[in-house]
Amino acid sequence: VTYDFEELKERILYRQAIETARCLEENVLTNVGDGNIGSIFGIGFPAWTGGVVQYMNGYPGGLAGFVARARELAKRYGERFNPPALLVQKAEQGKAFA
């Protein structure tokens, strides 16, 4: 069996990012800065990303690109990759988390 390392890495980052988007949607997180700093120092999200929210915002194609990829991952690996409503809404509006 061979594994695509880049896809494995992306799947790990996506799971954390999707849960962070849910936390923003549910007001568990109330601002982007806390999500970024907390993800780096709290859960060890890769610093090169700028934090989990910055990772989503900076994904190729912005949030729309992130959501499109999340949907691809959901089809292949299950509903845990489905993007939450707030993320989809921002993507459709062409907005970023601010």
Side-chain angles (χ1 to χ4, degrees):
V1 176
T2 59
Y3 295 99
D4 180 341
F5 177 74
E6 290 303 313
E7 185 168 73
L8 288 171
K9 181 174 71 173
E10 187 175 45
R11 286 170 58 194
I12 291 167
L13 296 177
Y14 257 77
R15 283 298 302 129
Q16 294 174 61
I18 288 169
E19 289 307 314
T20 298
R22 282 195 179 93
C23 287
L24 287 165
E25 182 177 69
E26 296 171 4
N27 291 315
V28 173
L29 279 172
T30 57
N31 67 67
V32 168
D34 287 349
N36 283 327
I37 296 298
S39 67
I40 293 169
F41 291 109
I43 63 172
F45 202 79
W48 59 264
T49 64
V52 70
V53 182
Q54 194 58 36
Y55 174 72
M56 290 186 284
N57 283 339
Y59 195 84
L63 292 183
F66 185 90
V67 166
R69 180 64 176 143
R71 288 178 171 152
E72 290 172 6
L73 292 170
K75 284 179 186 173
R76 188 163 182 187
Y77 299 109
E79 66 182 42
R80 65 187 172 273
F81 289 100
N82 285 333
L86 177 64
L87 182 54
V88 172
Q89 177 185 23
K90 287 192 173 293
E92 289 174 348
Q93 295 171 348
K95 295 182 178 179
F97 287 107

